[in-house]
Amino acid sequence: MTPRSNPGARRAPTAGRVPANVGPEETAVAYVDMWNERDYSAVPRLVSETFVMYDPAAPAEGVPGPRGEVHGRAGLRQFVEFVTTAFPDFEITILDLLAGEDLVMYEVRLTMTHEGPLGGVPPTGRRVDVRGVSVLRLDGGVVTEHRFHTNTTDVAEQLGLTFPQVIGQLPTLLLGKVRSSL
């Protein structure tokens, strides 16, 4: 594997224009751009029909696959929509990337503001800034598997959803529940 480092974001020209026979690094960057640009038309060119994503944020309902997993191209699109509905300004920045022939690992910074429903949790309006690591497995130039690793406790703490922080959030959460039931 060849390490590559970039203190800023890595960008492909556009996620929807992934040329044939690109290298693993370019495929990974285009995959991240698909997330950032919400370019669902790029999904069939970027991921296999048998794609599986392992992410602790994947819900048990509304996305194909069990809790913590996303299955298939349609599942990926539904998961991106799930995340970006809860966090409309969701953005991934690649901090460091290591690419091999059929495996890409990259460290990311995720930034987002909780402005939409997240499962049963109404918007908190809080900003989240966390780091994580993604591992992509490739076959024939497309992503077959994506494993995302982060400290989910950091996310919960920044959203104010850990004890005792949640006590201060109860009025906001209850008001959000009442509004969503009307």
Side-chain angles (χ1 to χ4, degrees):
M1 291 189 150
T2 305
R4 302 182 194 244
S5 185
N6 182 350
R10 294 175 166 271
R11 306 294 296 174
T14 63
R17 294 186 195 153
V18 180
N21 301 320
V22 299
E25 181 177 346
E26 292 83 7
T27 299
V29 171
Y31 178 77
V32 168
D33 283 347
M34 179 276 302
W35 276 85
N36 286 337
E37 298 170 13
R38 284 59 155 166
D39 184 1
Y40 305 116
S41 68
V43 171
R45 289 184 293 281
L46 292 171
V47 304
S48 70
E49 290 182 30
T50 58
F51 171 83
V52 178
M53 179 179 191
Y54 300 93
D55 187 320
E61 296 179 16
V63 174
R67 175 154 177 57
E69 293 183 19
V70 174
H71 291 201
R73 293 172 174 161
L76 176 60
R77 178 185 177 134
Q78 290 168 350
F79 184 56
V80 173
E81 289 173 344
F82 170 81
V83 170
T84 58
T85 296
F87 303 96
D89 63 346
F90 177 86
E91 185 172 7
I92 303 167
T93 302
I94 295 176
L95 302 173
D96 203 5
L97 187 143
L98 190 66
E101 188 174 311
D102 59 0
L103 185 71
V104 179
M105 297 172 56
Y106 51 94
E107 181 185 13
V108 296
R109 177 181 181 203
L110 305 178
T111 55
M112 55 195 146
T113 307
H114 186 204
E115 296 178 347
L118 180 63
V121 179
T124 63
R126 291 190 173 210
R127 185 101 172 118
V128 175
D129 187 335
V130 294
R131 288 187 177 211
V133 174
S134 282
V135 179
L136 301 181
R137 292 206 179 273
L138 308 174
D139 185 15
V142 296
V143 180
T144 59
E145 180 181 285
H146 178 188
R147 291 184 180 268
F148 180 68
H149 307 277
T150 193
N151 184 339
T152 55
T153 303
D154 283 349
V155 175
E157 285 175 353
Q158 291 180 42
L159 290 173
L161 301 176
T162 58
F163 189 81
Q165 290 177 317
V166 76
I167 305 249
Q169 286 285 86
L170 284 177
T172 302
L173 296 171
L174 290 172
L175 184 59
K177 276 292 205 189
V178 169
R179 285 185 180 148
S180 67
S181 66
L182 297 177

PDB file of all heavy atoms in Angstrom, residues 24-53:
ATOM      1  N   PRO A  24      -7.717   2.823  -7.270  1.00  0.00           N
ATOM      2  CA  PRO A  24      -8.454   2.708  -6.006  1.00  0.00           C
ATOM      3  C   PRO A  24      -8.588   4.041  -5.265  1.00  0.00           C
ATOM      4  O   PRO A  24      -9.623   4.328  -4.679  1.00  0.00           O
ATOM      5  CB  PRO A  24      -7.659   1.700  -5.187  1.00  0.00           C
ATOM      6  CG  PRO A  24      -6.567   1.205  -6.033  1.00  0.00           C
ATOM      7  CD  PRO A  24      -6.567   1.945  -7.324  1.00  0.00           C
ATOM      8  N   GLU A  25      -7.533   4.859  -5.290  1.00  0.00           N
ATOM      9  CA  GLU A  25      -7.591   6.150  -4.602  1.00  0.00           C
ATOM     10  C   GLU A  25      -8.674   7.035  -5.227  1.00  0.00           C
ATOM     11  O   GLU A  25      -9.479   7.646  -4.510  1.00  0.00           O
ATOM     12  CB  GLU A  25      -6.244   6.854  -4.657  1.00  0.00           C
ATOM     13  CG  GLU A  25      -6.255   8.186  -3.939  1.00  0.00           C
ATOM     14  CD  GLU A  25      -4.901   8.866  -3.913  1.00  0.00           C
ATOM     15  OE1 GLU A  25      -3.876   8.223  -4.219  1.00  0.00           O
ATOM     16  OE2 GLU A  25      -4.871  10.056  -3.565  1.00  0.00           O
ATOM     17  N   GLU A  26      -8.711   7.090  -6.552  1.00  0.00           N
ATOM     18  CA  GLU A  26      -9.711   7.908  -7.236  1.00  0.00           C
ATOM     19  C   GLU A  26     -11.127   7.388  -6.994  1.00  0.00           C
ATOM     20  O   GLU A  26     -12.060   8.172  -6.843  1.00  0.00           O
ATOM     21  CB  GLU A  26      -9.423   7.973  -8.743  1.00  0.00           C
ATOM     22  CG  GLU A  26      -8.163   8.732  -9.089  1.00  0.00           C
ATOM     23  CD  GLU A  26      -6.871   7.904  -8.969  1.00  0.00           C
ATOM     24  OE1 GLU A  26      -6.934   6.684  -8.747  1.00  0.00           O
ATOM     25  OE2 GLU A  26      -5.794   8.504  -9.073  1.00  0.00           O
ATOM     26  N   THR A  27     -11.269   6.069  -6.922  1.00  0.00           N
ATOM     27  CA  THR A  27     -12.582   5.490  -6.627  1.00  0.00           C
ATOM     28  C   THR A  27     -13.032   5.897  -5.230  1.00  0.00           C
ATOM     29  O   THR A  27     -14.187   6.282  -5.023  1.00  0.00           O
ATOM     30  CB  THR A  27     -12.535   3.951  -6.746  1.00  0.00           C
ATOM     31  OG1 THR A  27     -12.189   3.612  -8.088  1.00  0.00           O
ATOM     32  CG2 THR A  27     -13.879   3.321  -6.389  1.00  0.00           C
ATOM     33  N   ALA A  28     -12.128   5.840  -4.261  1.00  0.00           N
ATOM     34  CA  ALA A  28     -12.469   6.225  -2.882  1.00  0.00           C
ATOM     35  C   ALA A  28     -12.860   7.696  -2.810  1.00  0.00           C
ATOM     36  O   ALA A  28     -13.843   8.056  -2.149  1.00  0.00           O
ATOM     37  CB  ALA A  28     -11.296   5.931  -1.948  1.00  0.00           C
ATOM     38  N   VAL A  29     -12.115   8.558  -3.487  1.00  0.00           N
ATOM     39  CA  VAL A  29     -12.423   9.988  -3.476  1.00  0.00           C
ATOM     40  C   VAL A  29     -13.775  10.241  -4.138  1.00  0.00           C
ATOM     41  O   VAL A  29     -14.591  11.026  -3.644  1.00  0.00           O
ATOM     42  CB  VAL A  29     -11.292  10.802  -4.145  1.00  0.00           C
ATOM     43  CG1 VAL A  29     -11.704  12.255  -4.344  1.00  0.00           C
ATOM     44  CG2 VAL A  29     -10.016  10.722  -3.310  1.00  0.00           C
ATOM     45  N   ALA A  30     -14.052   9.558  -5.246  1.00  0.00           N
ATOM     46  CA  ALA A  30     -15.347   9.707  -5.916  1.00  0.00           C
ATOM     47  C   ALA A  30     -16.490   9.212  -5.026  1.00  0.00           C
ATOM     48  O   ALA A  30     -17.575   9.802  -5.002  1.00  0.00           O
ATOM     49  CB  ALA A  30     -15.347   8.953  -7.252  1.00  0.00           C
ATOM     50  N   TYR A  31     -16.253   8.146  -4.272  1.00  0.00           N
ATOM     51  CA  TYR A  31     -17.251   7.618  -3.340  1.00  0.00           C
ATOM     52  C   TYR A  31     -17.565   8.650  -2.250  1.00  0.00           C
ATOM     53  O   TYR A  31     -18.726   8.910  -1.938  1.00  0.00           O
ATOM     54  CB  TYR A  31     -16.728   6.307  -2.733  1.00  0.00           C
ATOM     55  CG  TYR A  31     -17.632   5.664  -1.715  1.00  0.00           C
ATOM     56  CD1 TYR A  31     -18.762   4.958  -2.114  1.00  0.00           C
ATOM     57  CD2 TYR A  31     -17.334   5.734  -0.356  1.00  0.00           C
ATOM     58  CE1 TYR A  31     -19.591   4.350  -1.172  1.00  0.00           C
ATOM     59  CE2 TYR A  31     -18.150   5.125   0.580  1.00  0.00           C
ATOM     60  CZ  TYR A  31     -19.271   4.438   0.169  1.00  0.00           C
ATOM     61  OH  TYR A  31     -20.089   3.833   1.105  1.00  0.00           O
ATOM     62  N   VAL A  32     -16.533   9.272  -1.689  1.00  0.00           N
ATOM     63  CA  VAL A  32     -16.737  10.320  -0.689  1.00  0.00           C
ATOM     64  C   VAL A  32     -17.472  11.505  -1.313  1.00  0.00           C
ATOM     65  O   VAL A  32     -18.389  12.071  -0.715  1.00  0.00           O
ATOM     66  CB  VAL A  32     -15.393  10.749  -0.058  1.00  0.00           C
ATOM     67  CG1 VAL A  32     -15.550  12.020   0.764  1.00  0.00           C
ATOM     68  CG2 VAL A  32     -14.830   9.620   0.802  1.00  0.00           C
ATOM     69  N   ASP A  33     -17.090  11.877  -2.533  1.00  0.00           N
ATOM     70  CA  ASP A  33     -17.771  12.979  -3.214  1.00  0.00           C
ATOM     71  C   ASP A  33     -19.249  12.676  -3.440  1.00  0.00           C
ATOM     72  O   ASP A  33     -20.086  13.571  -3.351  1.00  0.00           O
ATOM     73  CB  ASP A  33     -17.104  13.300  -4.546  1.00  0.00           C
ATOM     74  CG  ASP A  33     -15.818  14.098  -4.378  1.00  0.00           C
ATOM     75  OD1 ASP A  33     -15.567  14.610  -3.265  1.00  0.00           O
ATOM     76  OD2 ASP A  33     -15.071  14.216  -5.368  1.00  0.00           O
ATOM     77  N   MET A  34     -19.572  11.406  -3.726  1.00  0.00           N
ATOM     78  CA  MET A  34     -20.978  11.025  -3.889  1.00  0.00           C
ATOM     79  C   MET A  34     -21.747  11.373  -2.622  1.00  0.00           C
ATOM     80  O   MET A  34     -22.839  11.927  -2.673  1.00  0.00           O
ATOM     81  CB  MET A  34     -21.093   9.526  -4.208  1.00  0.00           C
ATOM     82  CG  MET A  34     -22.511   9.007  -4.375  1.00  0.00           C
ATOM     83  SD  MET A  34     -23.390   8.540  -2.843  1.00  0.00           S
ATOM     84  CE  MET A  34     -22.322   7.306  -2.147  1.00  0.00           C
ATOM     85  N   TRP A  35     -21.172  11.073  -1.456  1.00  0.00           N
ATOM     86  CA  TRP A  35     -21.805  11.416  -0.182  1.00  0.00           C
ATOM     87  C   TRP A  35     -21.947  12.928  -0.040  1.00  0.00           C
ATOM     88  O   TRP A  35     -23.019  13.431   0.282  1.00  0.00           O
ATOM     89  CB  TRP A  35     -20.961  10.885   0.983  1.00  0.00           C
ATOM     90  CG  TRP A  35     -21.206   9.459   1.355  1.00  0.00           C
ATOM     91  CD1 TRP A  35     -20.631   8.350   0.796  1.00  0.00           C
ATOM     92  CD2 TRP A  35     -22.081   8.979   2.375  1.00  0.00           C
ATOM     93  NE1 TRP A  35     -21.099   7.223   1.423  1.00  0.00           N
ATOM     94  CE2 TRP A  35     -21.981   7.581   2.393  1.00  0.00           C
ATOM     95  CE3 TRP A  35     -22.927   9.612   3.283  1.00  0.00           C
ATOM     96  CZ2 TRP A  35     -22.703   6.790   3.281  1.00  0.00           C
ATOM     97  CZ3 TRP A  35     -23.646   8.828   4.176  1.00  0.00           C
ATOM     98  CH2 TRP A  35     -23.530   7.431   4.161  1.00  0.00           C
ATOM     99  N   ASN A  36     -20.862  13.645  -0.257  1.00  0.00           N
ATOM    100  CA  ASN A  36     -20.867  15.094  -0.046  1.00  0.00           C
ATOM    101  C   ASN A  36     -21.793  15.828  -1.006  1.00  0.00           C
ATOM    102  O   ASN A  36     -22.417  16.816  -0.632  1.00  0.00           O
ATOM    103  CB  ASN A  36     -19.447  15.658  -0.161  1.00  0.00           C
ATOM    104  CG  ASN A  36     -18.595  15.325   1.041  1.00  0.00           C
ATOM    105  OD1 ASN A  36     -19.108  15.051   2.129  1.00  0.00           O
ATOM    106  ND2 ASN A  36     -17.290  15.343   0.864  1.00  0.00           N
ATOM    107  N   GLU A  37     -21.868  15.353  -2.238  1.00  0.00           N
ATOM    108  CA  GLU A  37     -22.682  16.017  -3.254  1.00  0.00           C
ATOM    109  C   GLU A  37     -24.091  15.433  -3.350  1.00  0.00           C
ATOM    110  O   GLU A  37     -24.913  15.937  -4.112  1.00  0.00           O
ATOM    111  CB  GLU A  37     -21.986  15.920  -4.614  1.00  0.00           C
ATOM    112  CG  GLU A  37     -20.643  16.627  -4.630  1.00  0.00           C
ATOM    113  CD  GLU A  37     -19.824  16.330  -5.884  1.00  0.00           C
ATOM    114  OE1 GLU A  37     -20.383  15.768  -6.855  1.00  0.00           O
ATOM    115  OE2 GLU A  37     -18.627  16.660  -5.881  1.00  0.00           O
ATOM    116  N   ARG A  38     -24.345  14.345  -2.596  1.00  0.00           N
ATOM    117  CA  ARG A  38     -25.636  13.645  -2.665  1.00  0.00           C
ATOM    118  C   ARG A  38     -25.933  13.265  -4.115  1.00  0.00           C
ATOM    119  O   ARG A  38     -27.044  13.393  -4.611  1.00  0.00           O
ATOM    120  CB  ARG A  38     -26.784  14.478  -2.115  1.00  0.00           C
ATOM    121  CG  ARG A  38     -26.908  14.623  -0.606  1.00  0.00           C
ATOM    122  CD  ARG A  38     -25.737  15.227   0.016  1.00  0.00           C
ATOM    123  NE  ARG A  38     -26.025  15.898   1.297  1.00  0.00           N
ATOM    124  CZ  ARG A  38     -25.057  16.258   2.106  1.00  0.00           C
ATOM    125  NH1 ARG A  38     -23.809  16.020   1.812  1.00  0.00           N
ATOM    126  NH2 ARG A  38     -25.339  16.857   3.228  1.00  0.00           N
ATOM    127  N   ASP A  39     -24.912  12.778  -4.806  1.00  0.00           N
ATOM    128  CA  ASP A  39     -25.019  12.429  -6.226  1.00  0.00           C
ATOM    129  C   ASP A  39     -25.404  10.961  -6.360  1.00  0.00           C
ATOM    130  O   ASP A  39     -24.557  10.104  -6.588  1.00  0.00           O
ATOM    131  CB  ASP A  39     -23.706  12.722  -6.940  1.00  0.00           C
ATOM    132  CG  ASP A  39     -23.795  12.466  -8.435  1.00  0.00           C
ATOM    133  OD1 ASP A  39     -24.884  12.081  -8.927  1.00  0.00           O
ATOM    134  OD2 ASP A  39     -22.773  12.647  -9.110  1.00  0.00           O
ATOM    135  N   TYR A  40     -26.684  10.691  -6.227  1.00  0.00           N
ATOM    136  CA  TYR A  40     -27.179   9.313  -6.254  1.00  0.00           C
ATOM    137  C   TYR A  40     -26.992   8.649  -7.611  1.00  0.00           C
ATOM    138  O   TYR A  40     -26.929   7.430  -7.699  1.00  0.00           O
ATOM    139  CB  TYR A  40     -28.645   9.279  -5.828  1.00  0.00           C
ATOM    140  CG  TYR A  40     -28.856   9.941  -4.482  1.00  0.00           C
ATOM    141  CD1 TYR A  40     -29.623  11.096  -4.364  1.00  0.00           C
ATOM    142  CD2 TYR A  40     -28.259   9.443  -3.336  1.00  0.00           C
ATOM    143  CE1 TYR A  40     -29.799  11.719  -3.134  1.00  0.00           C
ATOM    144  CE2 TYR A  40     -28.430  10.057  -2.101  1.00  0.00           C
ATOM    145  CZ  TYR A  40     -29.198  11.198  -2.010  1.00  0.00           C
ATOM    146  OH  TYR A  40     -29.353  11.812  -0.795  1.00  0.00           O
ATOM    147  N   SER A  41     -26.868   9.440  -8.672  1.00  0.00           N
ATOM    148  CA  SER A  41     -26.657   8.859  -9.999  1.00  0.00           C
ATOM    149  C   SER A  41     -25.294   8.170 -10.090  1.00  0.00           C
ATOM    150  O   SER A  41     -25.088   7.325 -10.963  1.00  0.00           O
ATOM    151  CB  SER A  41     -26.776   9.931 -11.091  1.00  0.00           C
ATOM    152  OG  SER A  41     -25.698  10.854 -11.000  1.00  0.00           O
ATOM    153  N   ALA A  42     -24.365   8.500  -9.200  1.00  0.00           N
ATOM    154  CA  ALA A  42     -23.041   7.885  -9.213  1.00  0.00           C
ATOM    155  C   ALA A  42     -23.024   6.521  -8.523  1.00  0.00           C
ATOM    156  O   ALA A  42     -22.088   5.753  -8.724  1.00  0.00           O
ATOM    157  CB  ALA A  42     -22.027   8.812  -8.549  1.00  0.00           C
ATOM    158  N   VAL A  43     -24.033   6.205  -7.726  1.00  0.00           N
ATOM    159  CA  VAL A  43     -24.026   4.965  -6.942  1.00  0.00           C
ATOM    160  C   VAL A  43     -23.823   3.724  -7.817  1.00  0.00           C
ATOM    161  O   VAL A  43     -22.964   2.892  -7.500  1.00  0.00           O
ATOM    162  CB  VAL A  43     -25.297   4.855  -6.065  1.00  0.00           C
ATOM    163  CG1 VAL A  43     -25.415   3.475  -5.420  1.00  0.00           C
ATOM    164  CG2 VAL A  43     -25.286   5.945  -4.996  1.00  0.00           C
ATOM    165  N   PRO A  44     -24.550   3.540  -8.934  1.00  0.00           N
ATOM    166  CA  PRO A  44     -24.334   2.322  -9.731  1.00  0.00           C
ATOM    167  C   PRO A  44     -22.923   2.199 -10.302  1.00  0.00           C
ATOM    168  O   PRO A  44     -22.446   1.091 -10.528  1.00  0.00           O
ATOM    169  CB  PRO A  44     -25.360   2.439 -10.859  1.00  0.00           C
ATOM    170  CG  PRO A  44     -26.382   3.395 -10.366  1.00  0.00           C
ATOM    171  CD  PRO A  44     -25.661   4.326  -9.451  1.00  0.00           C
ATOM    172  N   ARG A  45     -22.251   3.309 -10.542  1.00  0.00           N
ATOM    173  CA  ARG A  45     -20.879   3.270 -11.066  1.00  0.00           C
ATOM    174  C   ARG A  45     -19.847   3.058  -9.961  1.00  0.00           C
ATOM    175  O   ARG A  45     -18.727   2.652 -10.248  1.00  0.00           O
ATOM    176  CB  ARG A  45     -20.565   4.568 -11.817  1.00  0.00           C
ATOM    177  CG  ARG A  45     -21.303   4.679 -13.141  1.00  0.00           C
ATOM    178  CD  ARG A  45     -20.900   5.909 -13.910  1.00  0.00           C
ATOM    179  NE  ARG A  45     -21.295   7.173 -13.298  1.00  0.00           N
ATOM    180  CZ  ARG A  45     -22.519   7.698 -13.365  1.00  0.00           C
ATOM    181  NH1 ARG A  45     -23.470   7.056 -13.983  1.00  0.00           N
ATOM    182  NH2 ARG A  45     -22.787   8.865 -12.804  1.00  0.00           N
ATOM    183  N   LEU A  46     -20.217   3.349  -8.735  1.00  0.00           N
ATOM    184  CA  LEU A  46     -19.251   3.291  -7.639  1.00  0.00           C
ATOM    185  C   LEU A  46     -19.320   2.032  -6.799  1.00  0.00           C
ATOM    186  O   LEU A  46     -18.300   1.614  -6.245  1.00  0.00           O
ATOM    187  CB  LEU A  46     -19.444   4.505  -6.716  1.00  0.00           C
ATOM    188  CG  LEU A  46     -19.072   5.853  -7.307  1.00  0.00           C
ATOM    189  CD1 LEU A  46     -19.519   6.984  -6.387  1.00  0.00           C
ATOM    190  CD2 LEU A  46     -17.570   5.922  -7.535  1.00  0.00           C
ATOM    191  N   VAL A  47     -20.522   1.452  -6.631  1.00  0.00           N
ATOM    192  CA  VAL A  47     -20.651   0.295  -5.742  1.00  0.00           C
ATOM    193  C   VAL A  47     -21.282  -0.880  -6.481  1.00  0.00           C
ATOM    194  O   VAL A  47     -22.070  -0.707  -7.409  1.00  0.00           O
ATOM    195  CB  VAL A  47     -21.460   0.619  -4.457  1.00  0.00           C
ATOM    196  CG1 VAL A  47     -20.859   1.788  -3.714  1.00  0.00           C
ATOM    197  CG2 VAL A  47     -22.903   0.876  -4.748  1.00  0.00           C
ATOM    198  N   SER A  48     -20.936  -2.072  -6.034  1.00  0.00           N
ATOM    199  CA  SER A  48     -21.454  -3.298  -6.646  1.00  0.00           C
ATOM    200  C   SER A  48     -22.909  -3.527  -6.235  1.00  0.00           C
ATOM    201  O   SER A  48     -23.396  -2.942  -5.275  1.00  0.00           O
ATOM    202  CB  SER A  48     -20.606  -4.495  -6.219  1.00  0.00           C
ATOM    203  OG  SER A  48     -20.811  -4.788  -4.848  1.00  0.00           O
ATOM    204  N   GLU A  49     -23.563  -4.410  -6.965  1.00  0.00           N
ATOM    205  CA  GLU A  49     -24.945  -4.773  -6.620  1.00  0.00           C
ATOM    206  C   GLU A  49     -25.002  -5.460  -5.263  1.00  0.00           C
ATOM    207  O   GLU A  49     -26.013  -5.387  -4.577  1.00  0.00           O
ATOM    208  CB  GLU A  49     -25.534  -5.682  -7.694  1.00  0.00           C
ATOM    209  CG  GLU A  49     -25.802  -4.976  -9.000  1.00  0.00           C
ATOM    210  CD  GLU A  49     -26.436  -5.889 -10.034  1.00  0.00           C
ATOM    211  OE1 GLU A  49     -27.166  -6.832  -9.650  1.00  0.00           O
ATOM    212  OE2 GLU A  49     -26.208  -5.653 -11.224  1.00  0.00           O
ATOM    213  N   THR A  50     -23.924  -6.129  -4.875  1.00  0.00           N
ATOM    214  CA  THR A  50     -23.881  -6.863  -3.609  1.00  0.00           C
ATOM    215  C   THR A  50     -23.200  -6.049  -2.500  1.00  0.00           C
ATOM    216  O   THR A  50     -22.799  -6.611  -1.485  1.00  0.00           O
ATOM    217  CB  THR A  50     -23.137  -8.197  -3.783  1.00  0.00           C
ATOM    218  OG1 THR A  50     -21.815  -7.923  -4.253  1.00  0.00           O
ATOM    219  CG2 THR A  50     -23.866  -9.108  -4.762  1.00  0.00           C
ATOM    220  N   PHE A  51     -23.104  -4.757  -2.680  1.00  0.00           N
ATOM    221  CA  PHE A  51     -22.462  -3.847  -1.724  1.00  0.00           C
ATOM    222  C   PHE A  51     -23.021  -4.042  -0.313  1.00  0.00           C
ATOM    223  O   PHE A  51     -24.222  -4.194  -0.117  1.00  0.00           O
ATOM    224  CB  PHE A  51     -22.727  -2.403  -2.179  1.00  0.00           C
ATOM    225  CG  PHE A  51     -22.318  -1.352  -1.193  1.00  0.00           C
ATOM    226  CD1 PHE A  51     -21.006  -0.921  -1.119  1.00  0.00           C
ATOM    227  CD2 PHE A  51     -23.241  -0.765  -0.343  1.00  0.00           C
ATOM    228  CE1 PHE A  51     -20.618   0.069  -0.227  1.00  0.00           C
ATOM    229  CE2 PHE A  51     -22.878   0.226   0.556  1.00  0.00           C
ATOM    230  CZ  PHE A  51     -21.553   0.639   0.609  1.00  0.00           C
ATOM    231  N   VAL A  52     -22.116  -4.011   0.678  1.00  0.00           N
ATOM    232  CA  VAL A  52     -22.497  -4.040   2.089  1.00  0.00           C
ATOM    233  C   VAL A  52     -21.680  -2.976   2.808  1.00  0.00           C
ATOM    234  O   VAL A  52     -20.466  -2.874   2.627  1.00  0.00           O
ATOM    235  CB  VAL A  52     -22.244  -5.413   2.750  1.00  0.00           C
ATOM    236  CG1 VAL A  52     -22.597  -5.378   4.231  1.00  0.00           C
ATOM    237  CG2 VAL A  52     -23.025  -6.505   2.049  1.00  0.00           C
ATOM    238  N   MET A  53     -22.366  -2.176   3.617  1.00  0.00           N
ATOM    239  CA  MET A  53     -21.707  -1.179   4.446  1.00  0.00           C
ATOM    240  C   MET A  53     -21.966  -1.529   5.903  1.00  0.00           C
ATOM    241  O   MET A  53     -23.094  -1.841   6.271  1.00  0.00           O
ATOM    242  CB  MET A  53     -22.251   0.223   4.161  1.00  0.00           C
ATOM    243  CG  MET A  53     -21.636   1.304   5.005  1.00  0.00           C
ATOM    244  SD  MET A  53     -22.332   2.911   4.563  1.00  0.00           S
ATOM    245  CE  MET A  53     -21.220   3.980   5.438  1.00  0.00           C
TER     246      MET A  53
END
